[in-house]
Amino acid sequence: MKDVEILLGGPMPPLVMDGVATSFTAHRPWEAADPAAYLAGIGPRIRGLATSSSHGRIDDAYLAHLPRLEIIASYGVGYDSIDVAAAARRGIVVTNTPDVLTDEVADLALGLLLATVRQLPQADRFLRSGRWLEKSFPLTATLRERKVGILGLGRIGKAIARRCEAFGLPIAYHGRHRQDDLPYAFYGTPAELAAAVDVLMVVTPGGTGTRHLVDASVLQALGPTGILINVSRGSVVDEAALIRALRDGTILSAGLDVFEDEPRVPSELVEMEHVVLLPHVGSGSVHTRNAMGQLVVDNLAAWFSGKGPLTPVPETPWAGRTA
Ligand code: 8YV
């Protein structure tokens, strides 16, 4: 399939870059002396795009430069950086990498919850700085007797719920739909859910539909012993409201793997001792990133060998007609 030209949206793991280059003609515009001119030159020939949310927004104006584009294979489960409606209007298929990262992200969410409640990074810093020689580490909050509210009970939300069950924690949720086959309590709004629980886990997709779903009123409802964990997208939480809520004790603490303007994290958060901050590592193990990368390559291979996409997103023209 060397006659098929694929654009890489930015640096990707070797498995993706090598996998694409082995089967197709791959372009890496960021390595060119003048990336914009390079892109303009190859744009009309490009039939596939391999990209990830860290490469910036793919909107209609971007797609206009790629008139022969057939497929966007995105590396990640969240695809809020892609204007899927614009892609659909142009007949372009969009694929993501669901399922292969579900357990990894759910594991990380539980790790982040434990780290936040029991202050594990703070305890580590305490030991390393020699303070244990002077006194014991202060007693912390507990996971015991907490209820967990899951905002967005999709694949990852359910995997988190299963783990919380094993920890003996009651579970409630809010999502677009009530899921009657599940034994968890449903609340009709994020604020009602927050009022009923002690831990709010944000696991919804990003994008305009969920922007600032967690705002000042939701944090107020979570209350002074409440803990916010976010492993989805920074856009779902009003970061300025969160900073205020953490500062004035409206909530107890937060564990965040995602931020509104990554990789920039507000200095107000960085300076707070009672929060745990991670650099968007939810799916970041070698094992899982390889599985995600392989799925990007496999989607391109399936499409260009006429089998259709393996994992199209629901908004795409091909949804429901998988290979
Ligand atoms: C990123 C993620 O895609 O899957 C997602 O939605 O947020 C991550 O796995 C990954 O960081 C690659 O950019």
Side-chain angles (χ1 to χ4, degrees):
M1 291 183 275
K2 281 286 186 185
D3 56 317
V4 175
E5 300 195 38
I6 305 284
L7 172 63
L8 298 172
M12 315 262 291
L15 192 145
V16 179
M17 301 214 280
D18 298 346
V20 172
T22 303
S23 305
F24 307 98
T25 298
H27 293 281
R28 308 177 179 202
W30 68 94
E31 289 175 352
D34 182 348
Y38 184 86
L39 250 181
I42 58 162
R45 304 199 305 269
I46 294 298
R47 293 174 60 197
L49 169 64
T51 189
S52 107
S53 57
S54 60
H55 297 155
R57 184 141 184 83
I58 297 186
D59 55 14
D60 199 53
Y62 184 100
L63 295 175
H65 293 111
L66 309 172
R68 287 185 70 200
L69 189 65
E70 298 168 35
I71 180 168
I72 302 170
S74 188
Y75 172 76
V77 68
Y79 50 92
D80 47 302
S81 60
I82 302 170
D83 185 341
V84 282
R89 279 196 302 277
R90 291 173 178 275
I92 299 165
V93 165
V94 178
T95 63
N96 64 344
T97 60
D99 299 319
V100 293
L101 49 58
T102 299
D103 285 325
E104 199 74 75
V105 177
D107 288 351
L108 191 283
L110 264 291
L112 183 53
L113 172 58
L114 278 170
T116 306
V117 179
R118 298 300 312 276
Q119 299 187 22
L120 303 187
Q122 294 90 329
D124 178 275
R125 292 198 288 270
F126 181 89
L127 180 152
R128 286 171 198 266
S129 67
R131 281 173 284 166
W132 192 16
L133 297 169
E134 297 151 21
K135 58 180 179 184
S136 301
F137 188 68
L139 301 182
T140 68
T142 181
L143 206 49
R144 300 301 98 213
E145 298 177 358
R146 280 183 184 270
K147 284 194 196 122
V148 177
I150 299 182
L151 192 57
L153 199 62
R155 282 175 279 225
I156 297 173
K158 285 181 188 135
I160 291 173
R162 285 195 295 276
R163 283 158 176 74
C164 288
E165 283 190 79
F167 276 79
L169 306 171
I171 295 145
Y173 71 102
H174 166 75
R176 275 168 299 180
H177 318 286
R178 180 193 290 268
Q179 302 186 50
D180 288 324
D181 52 330
L182 295 173
Y184 313 133
F186 173 81
Y187 288 87
T189 68
E192 281 164 14
L193 175 66
V197 301
D198 313 284
V199 171
L200 188 62
M201 279 267 183
V202 183
V203 207
T204 61
T208 48
T210 56
R211 192 179 140 72
H212 288 189
L213 202 58
V214 176
D215 60 10
S217 68
V218 173
L219 297 169
Q220 186 75 44
L222 188 57
T225 59
I227 292 174
L228 181 81
I229 304 292
N230 188 1
V231 294
S232 73
R233 285 289 181 265
S235 60
V236 183
V237 175
D238 179 343
E239 212 163 66
L242 174 62
I243 290 167
R244 283 195 300 277
L246 286 163
R247 246 195 209 141
D248 65 19
T250 300
I251 67 169
L252 181 67
S253 64
L256 308 171
D257 186 41
V258 288
F259 303 88
E260 284 204 80
D261 184 25
E262 295 174 8
R264 283 159 291 276
V265 177
S267 57
E268 292 96 326
L269 285 175
V270 173
E271 283 155 17
M272 280 178 193
E273 183 58 19
H274 67 307
V275 296
V276 177
L277 310 173
L278 301 180
H280 198 150
V281 291
S283 64
S285 70
V286 173
H287 165 92
T288 293
R289 289 288 169 87
N290 280 347
M292 291 161 61
Q294 193 58 54
L295 195 47
V296 169
V297 175
D298 291 348
N299 265 298
L300 291 170
W303 176 257
F304 287 108
S305 57
K307 297 185 189 137
L310 300 177
T311 49
V313 305
E315 300 87 344
T316 211
W318 259 84
R321 293 190 281 147
T322 53

